Amino acid sequence: MSTERIFNFSAGPSMLPLPVLEEAAAEMTNYRGTGMSVMEMSHRGKAYIEIFEQTKADLRRVMSIPDTHEILFMQGGATLQFSAIPMNLIGKTGKADYAVTGNFSTVAMKEAKKYGEINIACSSEDRGHTYIPEQKDINVSKDASYFHYCSNNTIFGTEWKYIPETGDVPLVCDVSSNILSGPLDVSKFGILYGGVQKNMAPAGAAVVIIDKKLAGNEHPLTPKLMSYQVMIDSDSMNNTPPTYTIYMLGLVLKWLEKQGGVEAMAKLKVERSKYLYDVLDDSKMFIGCADKDARSDMNVTFKTSSDELDAQFIKEAKAAGFDTLKGHRVLGGMRASIYNAMPVEGTKKLAEFMREFERKNV
Ligand SMILES: *Cc1c(COP(=O)(O)O)cnc(C)c1O
């Protein structure tokens, strides 16, 4: 098997740990003596139910998820949750608060407007989403059914360094691009959710971690597969779940625990991003897009003074084995997405490449 892998900086789907891919490959055609691939198993059969239950138990342990909260696997990625959240929760008061700090929180807010009255509790749009608002600038409505924010802004490269204080209003957080990157007090949240294709598994599922007392108030026209109560009651198996994606998540969790769990991930992400931010801080050519105190350890966004130089950098980087560094079309420039599976070596080498590029192109 070829181990000549490149450093893939894709924002998602993104790198998976090599040992996980190798284990999946070894088990591909005959999973532990069952004579079949996990892909070919009935989701109701004994072998698969074991994988499913183990994955759930492992996620609960790794994230220290309390018994008050249920773990759901749903389809439609994070984006379908933008609709499911208001459909399930907004009925309580007809109102919800949204913090708008980037692309996905804007999309989520716009979707929620179909279902009720939305208060924009804070926004970073005035400075192009380069920063995260402070607590004192957040207007929480006392009668909001929930408060929604996105803790890591994948496209703009900013990350909330604190959990907003919202009193009795339940917190709902899109953690698509920083879930499992460090310890998190799950009990503070009504709902944590994310598409799995950034930091957890291949694409095909959203993980929803929900305080069970928030379920059961959905709008009557909520499709049953989007009803949190239906999903809780059926243990995410009202219909066929994304079986292989969940199996892969199980392998990723096993790998992650072997590395030292979320505490180890929290250390590694700083080590990884520091190589790149040190270059940006020293450079006369590369400019970081986000304010220093809001910079994400998962998505590093930067540019040069010209689109032509950006394009040249992306092209030369690709030829040198640093793939998918082109920034999102919304922001332009470059973006290095450096989730848990990116070896520290990847950003160290990219930092060296950037310094060398600058030396050659002054
Ligand atoms: C990628 C991403 C999404 C969209 O995820 P899908 O699973 O493609 O719907 C939403 N929110 C954040 C923060 C993301 O990074």
Side-chain angles (χ1 to χ4, degrees), residues 272-338:
R272 221 181 269 123
S273 67
K274 191 173 184 305
Y275 280 113
L276 301 183
Y277 286 129
D278 281 351
V279 174
L280 298 184
D281 290 344
D282 291 348
S283 174
K284 289 193 171 59
M285 173 184 281
F286 296 107
I287 311 150
C289 299
D291 280 9
K292 264 192 187 182
D293 60 358
R295 294 194 297 206
S296 165
D297 292 319
M298 300 277 106
N299 309 96
V300 178
T301 49
F302 57 101
K303 47 178 76 170
T304 67
S305 55
S306 81
D307 292 347
E308 292 70 36
L309 199 55
D310 288 352
Q312 187 193 333
F313 174 78
I314 292 161
K315 192 171 154 226
E316 288 184 20
K318 187 177 169 67
F322 306 103
D323 207 55
T324 326
L325 281 166
K326 195 170 173 5
H328 190 277
R329 62 186 183 280
V330 169
L331 188 62
M334 281 75 74
R335 171 176 56 174
S337 295
I338 48 174

Side-chain angles (χ1 to χ4, degrees), residues 186-324:
V186 177
S187 71
K188 288 209 161 113
F189 294 88
I191 295 179
L192 289 168
Y193 73 96
V196 296
Q197 69 276 18
K198 314 263 161 80
N199 217 6
M200 299 186 110
V207 162
V208 179
I209 299 162
I210 177 172
D211 184 340
K212 283 177 274 192
K213 68 174 187 284
L214 289 183
N217 298 306
E218 71 268 26
H219 186 281
L221 290 178
T222 306
K224 69 171 180 169
L225 284 180
M226 289 167 71
S227 155
Y228 293 136
Q229 194 62 59
V230 167
M231 293 305 273
I232 290 170
D233 292 344
S234 61
D235 199 7
S236 302
M237 291 228 194
N238 191 270
N239 75 330
T240 316
T243 52
Y244 198 75
T245 293
I246 294 167
Y247 155 77
M248 288 293 287
L249 171 59
L251 297 186
V252 168
L253 290 167
K254 216 160 72 173
W255 168 84
L256 194 148
E257 274 197 303
K258 224 186 247 172
Q259 314 306 305
V262 287
E263 285 79 12
M265 294 303 122
K267 277 199 200 116
L268 281 169
K269 74 173 174 180
V270 175
E271 206 181 316
R272 221 181 269 123
S273 67
K274 191 173 184 305
Y275 280 113
L276 301 183
Y277 286 129
D278 281 351
V279 174
L280 298 184
D281 290 344
D282 291 348
S283 174
K284 289 193 171 59
M285 173 184 281
F286 296 107
I287 311 150
C289 299
D291 280 9
K292 264 192 187 182
D293 60 358
R295 294 194 297 206
S296 165
D297 292 319
M298 300 277 106
N299 309 96
V300 178
T301 49
F302 57 101
K303 47 178 76 170
T304 67
S305 55
S306 81
D307 292 347
E308 292 70 36
L309 199 55
D310 288 352
Q312 187 193 333
F313 174 78
I314 292 161
K315 192 171 154 226
E316 288 184 20
K318 187 177 169 67
F322 306 103
D323 207 55
T324 326

Side-chain angles (χ1 to χ4, degrees), residues 109-126:
M109 179 272 292
K110 286 186 179 159
E111 181 66 11
K113 275 188 170 173
K114 293 181 186 168
Y115 303 99
E117 200 180 305
I118 301 305
N119 166 46
I120 296 179
C122 61
S123 171
S124 53
E125 206 186 351
D126 59 337

